[in-house]
Amino acid sequence: MKAIRGAITLNGDTEKEVRENVKFLLGEIVSANKLIAEDIICIMFSNTSDIRSFYPAKAAREAGFFNCALYSSLEPEINGSLPYCIRVMILAEITAKPKHIYLKGASDLRKDITQKLNIAIDGPAGSGKSTVSKLISSYFDILYLDTGAMYRACALACINEGVECTNESEVEKIAKKTDITVKYIDGTQRTFLNGKDVSEEIRTPKVSMSASAVAAHACIRNKMVELQRIIAKQNSCVLDGRDIGTNVLPDAKFKFFLTASPEVRAERRLEENKEKGYIQPFEEVLAEIKTRDVQDSTRKIAPLQKAEDAIEIVTDSLSAKEVASFICNEIQRNT
Ligand code: CDP
């Protein structure tokens, strides 16, 4: 069972306003969540104390919600609360993630849902960016853009063509004829290189090292950053990378910078690689992490750096869930 929430404001305390707005709000919730009558167990309303002309529950019954339990309650007078506001919670037998609906003046109550949200998560390899970003994207039900995957795809293009990733002029030739795109399939990012889905192929340790080298070149970065900005402009999303807060979206309202000691990060990467079937000695992973740290933070263009206005989170002794929940709370407190 899931709880679906919503709210709407009225223009005034009249029976007609209550009837029409309750019908509108419930209709939007039903259609966004693809509910059928049998899914709905009960609908609970509460309304601000300035609405006394009609019960929202009665309006729901009149609007055709016959088979579920209906409740209405009056909220106490609270200073600063929205005028003429009806809140609703629907308990429904659904398995999908609930889509909460906030309409008219009530959209201000949940800006995290009703406004475009861009969240920048930067940090070095193994700091937990991707796991944390996936949790945040699922919490807010927004896209997750793994920008590293795009640089990895560029690196794979160079590897496939036998081009040395440090050779800028050769890399530039590859960049010109290479098409990198991302698509979302069932809400999950898939990364395409010249039309081929390379989402798994780009995760090898060799591609990791080459991505870091390839990402140092302006010809690659300009192309990838342009694509990232287009996606961020069109969608609410969490972007993880090295330069999101400093360069890709310097105006993003929410910026976080994750860190951890190289040893902890190497340990995490070792486990991740093991799961994917790449067995490497700890010392080798640690050395790769350290090399990438140096390459990423000393390159001339858009180096790995904490944006001045980013919140730094040291994740050594924190689980990904703890980090994600801290970030989600920060966002909710400040929207
Ligand atoms: O997952 P991990 O942190 O190991 O790497 P990634 O995020 O997939 O990124 C691979 C490489 O791409 C990094 O080492 C960076 O050099 C580069 N990158 C970048 O320069 N800028 C970004 N926004 C994202 C990744």
Side-chain angles (χ1 to χ4, degrees), residues 1 22 26 30 35-45 56-72 88-93:
M1 186 170 66
V22 164
L26 294 179
V30 164
L35 297 180
I36 54 167
E38 288 69 34
D39 293 335
I40 302 176
I41 298 161
C42 75
I43 307 179
M44 291 176 270
F45 293 95
K58 219 169 160 196
R61 196 65 92 207
E62 285 181 6
F65 292 81
F66 301 121
N67 300 322
C68 54
L70 294 165
Y71 302 89
S72 275
V88 68
M89 183 160 77
I90 300 183
L91 298 183
E93 278 311 348

Side-chain angles (χ1 to χ4, degrees), residues 259-293:
T259 61
S261 70
E263 287 72 20
V264 167
R265 293 189 280 122
E267 195 55 57
R268 288 177 186 160
R269 191 45 51 98
L270 194 76
E271 283 308 309
E272 234 176 85
N273 285 351
K274 223 191 260 174
E275 276 166 29
K276 289 180 202 145
Y278 308 121
I279 311 293
Q280 273 178 297
F282 176 79
E283 290 308 325
E284 195 177 306
V285 180
L286 181 63
E288 280 179 8
I289 290 247
K290 286 183 174 169
T291 309
R292 275 214 282 157
D293 282 357

